[in-house]
Amino acid sequence: DFPVTIRDISKDKYLATTVKRSEKSIHQAIIEDLPDKPVLESVMEWRLISEQELAASESPVGTLVSQGTAQWNINRRSVPSGNYLVTFTVSIRVGDPASSETLKAFDYGFIKVIAAPLRAIIDGGSSVLWGSRDAVTVDGSLSYDGDVGPGNSSGLKFTWSCYRLGDNTSVSNNCFGSFKGDVTLTSIEIIPRGLKIRHPYVLRLTVSRDDRSHFAEIIFEIAAGEIPQVSLRCFVDCGKVVSASNKFRVTSECLNSPCISSEYIWQLMRLNDDSKQLGRIAILPNMTSTAINATNMIIKKKSLQSSSKYALNLTVIPPGGTAGFAVLEFETAGQPHSGYCVPSAVVGFSLETKFSFECFEWQDKNKPLSYEFRVGDEPISYGTSAKSVSTVLPSGSPENDYQLSINVIIKNAVGVAVVKKLSVKVVPSTQLDPCRSQIEEVSSKLKGFVIGDDSDLDKFLKKGEISQASQLAITVLQSANEETKCGQTLGQDTKTLVGLLTVIIFFSN
C-alpha cells in the first residue's frame, strides 16, 4: 500500500549483513509516501526468523524483537550467533474514525550474527623477571568470552604452555618440566629451578570455546637465587590500546620476603617510529599523580602522546641482592582519520528545509566507530547514531548571517574522538518570521508542528521515528524563543504552551 525500506540490511541470503554479537547496532526502516490523511493508529513489528526455523516451517513466524517503532536497537549479546531473516511489518490506519482505511507494508533482509572473539589475559605484565628459588603462580582468570563479557571465564577451556624466545618450534606443554599441577586450570604454578638462568622464555595461555580460540603471552627470565617477585596490573581504562585522554592507572604487587624495604623505581619508554627502538622518557612531576618511587603509578590525562607504543617498567631493588622487574606494554590510540562529512544543502529555511548530514570513509583500527551530530552543543542525534542523520533546523542568528555550526563527533571504540565542523545557513521562513507575518499566524504555525493528533510531531511518533520527533521538538522550542531583527517576538503564553505541550507529548510517547 506504501513503500517501506529497511536500511543497510542485505536482501541477498548469501551476502547477509554482518552483525557483531558483542556490539550494539541500530537498524532503521524508512516509511514513505503515506497519504495526506490523519494517522489514527500504527502497528510496527520487527521479527527474527532463524535459519533452522526457515528450514523447518513453510510459514515461519519468528521471534518478535521490537515493536512500535521504525528503529530496531540490537543490544549487545541479545541475539545468538547464526543466520537470520529479518522482517519489518507496518500497519497504519488513516482517515476519519468513521471511515478509516488500514494500509500495510512489509520489507525484509538477511543478517549474520557472528560470535565475539575470546580474549586470553595473563595477569602480571608483558615481561617479568623471577627468582629461581620461589615457585610462581600465574593467573589467567581475567580471560573472558566477548559474548559473555569481562569478569566471567566460565565455559572457557584453558591450556598453558611455553617455549624459548626466538624458537617457537620448541613449544613445551609442561614448560620443560617446570609446570606443577593441571595445565588446564585458570592459573598455573611454575617451579623455575630447572629452567636456564637468564634465558628468555615465553609463557602462553590459550583459551578456547567452540570453534574460537585466542592466546596471550608474557616473556619471563629466571635470575639465580631469591629476588622480588613483581607483577603489574592495569585496573581502569585498560587494554592493549588505551586513550591518552584518560588517566592510566597501574598497580604493582610484590609479596615475597625480598620485597620488604625494597626501593621502587618506575621508568617509561616509547617506541621510536624511525628506529623501531624503545627510548626512555623522563617521567616529569606534572605527568603523574604519584611519585616515581611509589608502589603504584597514575599517569595523568593527556600526558602521553597519541598513536604511540609504550613500555612502563617497574624495578624493585632490595637492600641487598638482585632486583626484580616487571614491564607493561601498551599503545595509545589515534583519532579517526581520512574521512569527511557533508550536508545535503548549505542554505535552507527554518522548519521547512530537511537537511541531511552524512559521513564517509572514516578509518580507524579501533572499531566500531560511532557518530554524534550536534547543532552547536545541542544534539541532533542522541547517543551514538548511524553515520548520517536528517532533520529540520531552527534559523541561525542574524548577527551571524544565519549561519549554524554543525558539529559531527566521530569516536572510536577506545573513546578517542575527532570533531568535524560544518556550517549551514538557515534563514527564517516567511511564515515563521514575526517580522514578516502576523504574530498570531506564526504562533498558530509553530503550534501546528507539535500540538494535535495530526501534528508533524505526532506523525513522527506514530511512525516510530523517535530521533526525528526529538529534533523537531527541540527545533520548534528554539524557533519559538529566537530573537528577530525587528524585535518582534512571540508572546510568553505561546512560548510556554509550545514548550509544555512539546515536553508532554514527547515524553508521553
Side-chain angles (χ1 to χ4, degrees):
D1 294 332
F2 56 90
V4 59
T5 305
I6 300 176
R7 295 183 60 187
D8 302 325
I9 292 185
S10 171
K11 283 185 165 53
D12 188 338
K13 177 180 179 180
Y14 301 101
L15 294 173
T17 299
T18 298
V19 174
K20 295 183 178 180
R21 188 171 185 268
S22 60
E23 298 173 4
K24 180 179 179 179
S25 60
I26 299 173
H27 299 279
Q28 291 182 323
I30 306 301
I31 300 171
E32 299 178 296
D33 298 336
L34 283 174
D36 189 17
K37 297 179 181 180
V39 176
L40 303 176
E41 182 184 15
S42 63
V43 177
M44 284 166 275
E45 291 187 348
W46 292 85
R47 288 184 175 271
L48 269 184
I49 304 172
S50 68
E51 194 172 40
Q52 294 77 12
E53 186 178 355
L54 280 172
S57 173
E58 293 183 359
S59 303
V61 176
T63 302
L64 180 66
V65 290
S66 182
Q67 59 184 336
T69 173
Q71 179 171 295
W72 174 31
N73 296 330
I74 307 179
N75 293 322
R76 294 193 303 166
R77 310 182 186 104
S78 63
V79 180
S81 56
N83 297 317
Y84 295 90
L85 169 66
V86 179
T87 65
F88 175 72
T89 57
V90 55
S91 173
I92 298 180
R93 188 162 66 93
V94 299
D96 296 325
S99 58
S100 64
E101 61 176 325
T102 299
L103 306 176
K104 297 183 178 181
F106 167 86
D107 198 20
Y108 73 96
F110 292 92
I111 62 172
K112 181 178 182 179
V113 180
I114 59 174
L118 307 180
R119 187 176 177 200
I121 300 175
I122 299 177
D123 195 21
S126 306
S127 59
V128 292
L129 179 67
W130 295 325
S132 61
R133 292 185 186 176
D134 295 329
V136 179
T137 299
V138 183
D139 184 16
S141 63
L142 295 177
S143 304
Y144 63 90
D145 182 344
D147 279 347
V148 178
N152 188 344
S153 61
S154 61
L156 296 180
K157 178 183 177 182
F158 289 74
T159 305
W160 295 89
S161 61
C162 81
Y163 60 91
R164 298 183 183 92
L165 184 64
D167 181 13
N168 56 11
T169 63
S170 63
V171 175
S172 171
N173 293 329
N174 64 4
C175 201
F176 310 102
S178 66
F179 283 168
K180 180 181 179 181
D182 191 345
V183 298
T184 64
L185 299 179
T186 58
S187 61
I188 189 69
E189 186 175 3
I190 300 174
I191 308 298
R193 66 174 65 96
L195 297 173
K196 292 183 179 180
I197 301 299
R198 291 294 182 175
H199 187 99
Y201 294 88
V202 178
L203 177 66
R204 172 179 287 190
L205 168 63
T206 302
V207 295
S208 57
R209 188 175 195 173
D210 46 59
D211 60 347
R212 295 169 292 158
S213 66
H214 184 247
F215 67 85
E217 296 179 335
I218 65 168
I219 299 172
F220 70 95
E221 292 185 27
I222 306 301
E226 189 178 27
I227 69 169
Q229 305 283 33
V230 191
S231 64
L232 297 178
R233 175 186 285 186
C234 175
F235 275 102
V236 183
D237 301 322
C238 297
K240 290 288 185 181
V241 183
V242 300
S243 171
S245 299
N246 297 332
K247 290 181 180 179
F248 189 65
R249 305 170 179 87
V250 179
T251 62
S252 70
E253 187 174 71
C254 191
L255 300 178
N256 62 344
S257 58
C259 300
I260 300 172
S261 301
S262 289
E263 180 184 5
Y264 286 65
I265 298 178
W266 294 88
Q267 291 181 323
L268 182 64
M269 293 169 284
R270 185 176 68 227
L271 185 71
N272 185 291
D273 290 335
D274 296 325
S275 67
K276 303 302 179 184
Q277 298 293 318
L278 285 170
R280 184 175 173 181
I281 300 172
I283 301 178
L284 302 175
N286 63 344
M287 291 176 59
T288 67
S289 302
T290 51
I292 61 171
N293 60 352
T295 56
N296 301 321
M297 172 60 67
I298 300 177
I299 299 177
K300 295 179 180 179
K301 297 178 180 179
K302 300 180 180 179
S303 295
L304 300 174
Q305 181 176 301
S306 297
S307 300
S308 299
K309 293 183 178 180
Y310 288 90
L312 183 63
N313 183 309
L314 173 61
T315 302
V316 179
I317 306 172
T322 304
F325 71 82
V327 179
L328 185 66
E329 296 177 353
F330 62 96
E331 181 179 350
T332 52
Q335 295 179 334
H337 58 89
S338 304
Y340 63 98
C341 303
V342 293
S344 59
V346 294
V347 180
F349 294 97
S350 62
L351 284 167
E352 289 185 5
T353 304
K354 190 172 185 178
F355 290 89
S356 294
F357 303 96
E358 189 166 6
C359 296
F360 301 88
E361 300 180 10
W362 287 95
Q363 304 294 320
D364 199 291
K365 61 183 179 181
N366 298 298
K367 295 181 179 179
L369 296 180
S370 64
Y371 300 81
E372 187 170 349
F373 298 82
R374 292 177 173 266
V375 181
D377 294 327
E378 296 295 330
I380 299 175
S381 62
Y382 287 78
T384 58
S385 71
K387 58 183 180 180
S388 65
V389 68
S390 297
T391 184
V392 292
L393 294 171
S395 63
S397 168
E399 292 79 10
N400 294 326
D401 192 30
Y402 300 103
Q403 296 289 331
L404 286 180
S405 177
I406 308 298
N407 296 319
V408 187
I409 303 169
I410 304 101
K411 186 182 297 184
N412 64 21
V414 184
V416 179
V418 62
V419 179
K420 181 65 177 178
K421 294 185 177 292
L422 306 174
S423 181
V424 294
K425 184 175 183 177
V426 186
V427 298
S429 165
T430 301
Q431 296 179 345
L432 300 175
D433 186 357
C435 297
R436 292 184 283 179
S437 298
Q438 294 292 325
I439 289 182
E440 292 77 10
E441 294 178 4
V442 176
S443 297
S444 177
K445 183 72 174 178
L446 283 176
K447 292 175 185 177
F449 283 113
V450 295
I451 299 172
D453 290 338
D454 198 34
S455 67
D456 289 30
L457 178 64
D458 189 58
K459 289 177 182 177
F460 279 137
L461 292 171
K462 285 179 177 176
K463 288 166 62 178
E465 297 175 351
I466 305 301
S467 60
Q468 290 91 331
S470 303
Q471 182 55 30
L472 175 64
I474 292 172
T475 300
V476 170
L477 285 173
Q478 291 174 333
S479 297
N481 288 279
E482 65 188 12
E483 297 180 357
T484 62
K485 279 185 174 180
C486 65
Q488 289 273 43
T489 59
L490 300 181
Q492 188 59 47
D493 57 337
T494 298
K495 295 179 182 180
T496 302
L497 181 61
V498 169
L500 286 175
L501 289 179
T502 299
V503 171
I504 291 171
I505 292 173
F506 176 68
F507 283 103
S508 66
N509 285 272

